[in-house]
Amino acid sequence: MDPSFLSTTHGYIGCTSCHGGNPDGKTMAEAHVGVNTSPSSLAEQNCTPCHDDVVATYGTSLHATLRGIENGLCSFTGEANRGKAKEAFDKYCFKCHATCGTCHVSKPEAANGGLIQGHNFFSSPDQDSTCNACHGGRVANEFKGGIEGFPGDVHYEKLGFDCLTCHDGKSFHGDGSTPANRFEAPNKPSCLNCHPDAAPGKGTVDAHNAHPEGTIDCYVCHATVNKSCYNCHVGEGAQSKVDFKIGLNTRADWPYKYSVVRHMPGVSSMLDPFEPGLMADYDSVPNWKTTMVHNIQRITPRNKTCQSCHNNGKVFLTENRLVPGDSKACEDVVVQQLPPRF
């Protein structure tokens, strides 16, 4: 513990107020009887007295429940197998569940835990130790230029944006609602929040106005590469590949025909180590999915000319781009007929 912590607001509260234990203990062993090393796992008891507004909504948030990832897994197993799938999820996938403490004072378990800075609390978390610890494999590398040969997001490189610039407090703490995933979250960021004149018919950029509303999302023209993952997390053989593909959007909660897609890790036998045959609905859900990309650029290879995209099979997810073991539902994402050249 950093001695400076003792003069902070949380330091004045005292150790046992949050951690419990025996304040009358004469030895370390006696003092630590009944200690809770993660007080914010009991947020309603320990955090509510000072942060009742946050605690009231955080329990149903996506960060607290990982509901979006769980629902994604259960879409492959089917509702009949949700109970067993939840058991597998809790066993293999729940390390990224976040409590108040794993953002504001310590590192997430997925990053091997530990205090960020001697028990000092941060109202705005250190993002390299917290956000990037869980989202570093894909999002942080895209955003901060960690993919060799490709720049970081222009908002990061030129304007110094960080996660909290676009993702406000409600994105993490929730607002009391229970969205099924991040696409349904009422407070998700939108490019149009800062760039309203980029909507079709609202500005002077010909390329924006040429595509009718609902045709393409912003990422199609303004994102660079992203990381796709193959095989499975639970067993052996997981691997990733840097790629860029435009596919047909299959999400009802994402109002565009074309979107950037990436390959999600998973095979039909992924949960067999837990229970054989649990991925019963594997072929009903595509594992090429619409994605939110975090390496936006004003100029990309696709928006230099119309012909960079139109009738260019290299940038679209076509039949020959599917990999062995993909679900049959990936056919719904495949672009069968390329947009014609002008």
Side-chain angles (χ1 to χ4, degrees):
M1 183 187 71
D2 189 322
S4 65
F5 167 69
L6 297 175
S7 61
T8 67
T9 301
H10 287 90
Y12 284 127
I13 294 173
C15 305
T16 56
S17 297
C18 295
H19 287 281
N22 176 16
D24 299 320
K26 303 302 183 184
T27 66
M28 180 183 292
E30 292 175 355
H32 282 77
V33 172
V35 159
N36 178 2
T37 58
S38 178
S40 60
S41 62
L42 301 174
E44 291 189 0
Q45 171 184 314
N46 292 319
C47 305
T48 292
C50 297
H51 307 285
D52 59 319
D53 55 333
V54 173
V55 176
T57 61
Y58 184 67
T60 59
S61 71
L62 291 173
H63 271 86
T65 63
L66 295 187
R67 187 170 50 250
I69 303 174
E70 179 188 333
N71 286 336
L73 176 65
C74 291
S75 67
F76 286 113
T77 65
E79 283 301 313
N81 291 321
R82 178 174 279 271
K84 280 290 184 182
K86 180 69 165 64
E87 291 180 34
F89 178 81
D90 290 346
K91 179 177 181 180
Y92 296 118
C93 311
F94 209 59
K95 279 190 175 182
C96 281
H97 160 79
T99 65
C100 307
T102 50
C103 288
H104 292 285
V105 67
S106 64
K107 301 172 186 177
E109 184 183 345
N112 299 318
L115 297 172
I116 296 173
Q117 187 180 313
H119 214 299
N120 284 303
F121 282 72
F122 298 87
S123 58
S124 294
D126 173 75
Q127 291 167 27
D128 283 335
S129 300
T130 54
C131 306
N132 296 352
C134 287
H135 301 283
R138 183 176 67 85
V139 174
N141 276 339
E142 292 176 7
F143 188 64
K144 302 182 78 170
I147 299 177
E148 186 176 356
F150 294 90
D153 191 294
V154 67
H155 301 91
Y156 171 78
E157 298 279 359
K158 298 286 184 69
L159 300 174
F161 280 21
D162 61 19
C163 307
L164 298 175
T165 308
C166 294
H167 300 278
D168 63 15
K170 288 184 178 180
S171 296
F172 308 102
H173 297 152
D175 61 1
S177 62
T178 56
N181 52 65
R182 68 184 185 278
F183 285 90
E184 293 186 9
N187 41 51
K188 65 177 178 290
S190 169
C191 303
L192 297 179
N193 290 344
C194 291
H195 305 283
D197 58 346
K202 300 295 185 181
T204 59
V205 177
D206 290 339
H208 292 165
N209 297 329
H211 298 93
E213 187 171 355
T215 305
I216 57 175
D217 65 22
C218 302
Y219 305 123
V220 167
C221 292
H222 289 287
T224 58
V225 297
N226 60 81
K227 184 180 289 186
S228 279
C229 300
Y230 298 87
N231 297 325
C232 99
H233 280 319
V234 177
E236 297 180 353
Q239 56 182 294
S240 62
K241 176 184 176 183
V242 173
D243 203 353
F244 182 91
K245 288 290 174 283
I246 302 166
L248 294 177
N249 170 48
T250 59
R251 302 193 64 95
D253 49 18
W254 194 243
Y256 303 96
K257 179 179 179 180
Y258 296 103
S259 63
V260 176
V261 296
R262 74 181 187 101
H263 195 277
M264 309 294 286
V267 292
S268 60
S269 59
M270 185 173 78
L271 295 182
D272 282 359
F274 182 80
E275 181 169 309
L278 195 54
M279 302 279 278
D281 280 7
Y282 178 76
D283 282 323
S284 68
V285 182
N287 41 17
W288 282 94
K289 294 183 179 292
T290 292
T291 186
M292 296 177 176
V293 188
H294 287 76
N295 53 9
I296 300 301
Q297 306 295 324
R298 183 170 178 268
I299 303 297
T300 69
R302 287 166 310 287
N303 64 26
K304 287 184 177 180
T305 70
C306 300
Q307 316 322 340
S308 301
C309 263
H310 285 259
N311 204 37
N312 181 3
K314 293 181 179 180
V315 299
F316 287 93
L317 181 67
T318 51
E319 191 83 34
N320 63 319
R321 302 286 180 177
L322 300 183
V323 298
D326 277 348
S327 76
K328 294 179 180 177
C330 288
E331 295 288 345
D332 297 332
V333 187
V334 165
V335 178
Q336 301 288 356
Q337 186 172 353
L338 301 179
R341 288 188 184 275
F342 293 102

